Amino acid sequence: SRWTCSPGRIIQKSCACCPDHKDIEGGMATANLIVICGPQAVGKMTVAESLRDKLKYNMMMNHDSIEVSDRIFGFATPAQREFNMFFREKAFELAVKHDVDLIFTYVCAFDSPQEREYLTRLADLFTSNQGGFYFVELSASLETRLERKENPSIQPPGLYGRISMFCWAG
């Protein structure tokens, strides 16, 4: 089955490699996590809000935990980084415990082993509890992203170079 993210952009809801994952529009009572990743100004929040409205998932943006931890501990301090990670981990643990489907927006440094380990741990948390872990990668040219940064009202769906959604394979 398929659904439309924006006109002309179709992405699969699930993949053949993961037939046991529940359909992300309903099914078994287990929590799913959709991670929407991409560089700054690519449209992560716009896509996340669209998915949230369609799927009736809850949403946590990357900045939610950062802003709280910054206000309490100051920017980029050891305490801020520790609390930021604690905030996120606890939110994900509670989502799994209480069967809450989430969408999480995130800027990922794919060249960092720690980032890959973090995403693998998230995937393990949800899939080990019979939930699904889905990864959406957004991309756009630097020119498009700079234009969006200057004029945030530009809606990204018609500007994407690529939208990919797949089950995480570590």
Side-chain angles (χ1 to χ4, degrees):
S1 58
R2 294 175 177 252
W3 56 273
T4 304
C5 180
S6 64
R9 304 284 192 227
I10 309 292
I11 58 179
Q12 280 189 297
K13 289 197 303 189
S14 60
C15 64
C17 70
C18 304
D20 295 332
H21 287 174
K22 79 174 187 174
D23 176 42
I24 63 175
E25 286 186 354
M28 302 179 308
T30 56
N32 288 308
L33 176 63
I34 300 173
V35 176
I36 300 178
C37 184
Q40 294 85 355
V42 76
K44 293 179 294 294
M45 187 171 72
T46 302
V47 170
E49 288 171 342
S50 178
L51 284 172
R52 178 200 59 205
D53 294 346
K54 168 124 177 93
L55 300 173
K56 307 299 183 227
Y57 277 28
N58 291 340
M59 187 170 85
M60 181 169 71
M61 295 184 306
N62 188 42
H63 291 282
D64 291 340
S65 60
I66 293 170
E67 290 170 3
V68 169
S69 59
D70 282 355
R71 274 194 305 273
I72 297 169
F73 297 108
F75 181 70
T77 64
Q80 182 272 332
R81 286 190 292 272
E82 185 176 338
F83 185 75
N84 182 50
M85 189 56 65
F86 172 80
F87 182 106
R88 291 178 185 182
E89 288 175 6
K90 194 63 174 177
F92 295 130
E93 288 171 11
L94 290 170
V96 168
K97 179 179 178 179
H98 296 284
D99 296 326
V100 175
D101 294 319
L102 281 179
I103 297 169
F104 177 50
T105 65
Y106 189 59
V107 176
C108 181
F110 288 110
D111 56 339
S112 166
Q114 293 87 359
E115 292 277 353
R116 292 190 303 272
E117 290 169 13
Y118 173 68
L119 290 169
T120 299
R121 283 194 314 272
L122 277 180
D124 291 346
L125 174 65
F126 281 80
T127 60
S128 68
N129 288 282
Q130 280 55 64
F133 181 88
Y134 304 90
F135 191 84
V136 179
E137 180 183 16
L138 304 179
S139 66
S141 69
L142 180 58
E143 177 185 15
T144 297
R145 292 174 34 229
L146 289 172
E147 184 179 347
R148 257 187 67 71
K149 184 176 166 105
E150 291 298 317
N151 186 357
S153 66
I154 295 173
Q155 293 298 307
L159 303 176
Y160 289 133
R162 182 182 69 195
I163 300 174
S164 305
M165 182 171 179
F166 49 89
C167 294
W168 183 255

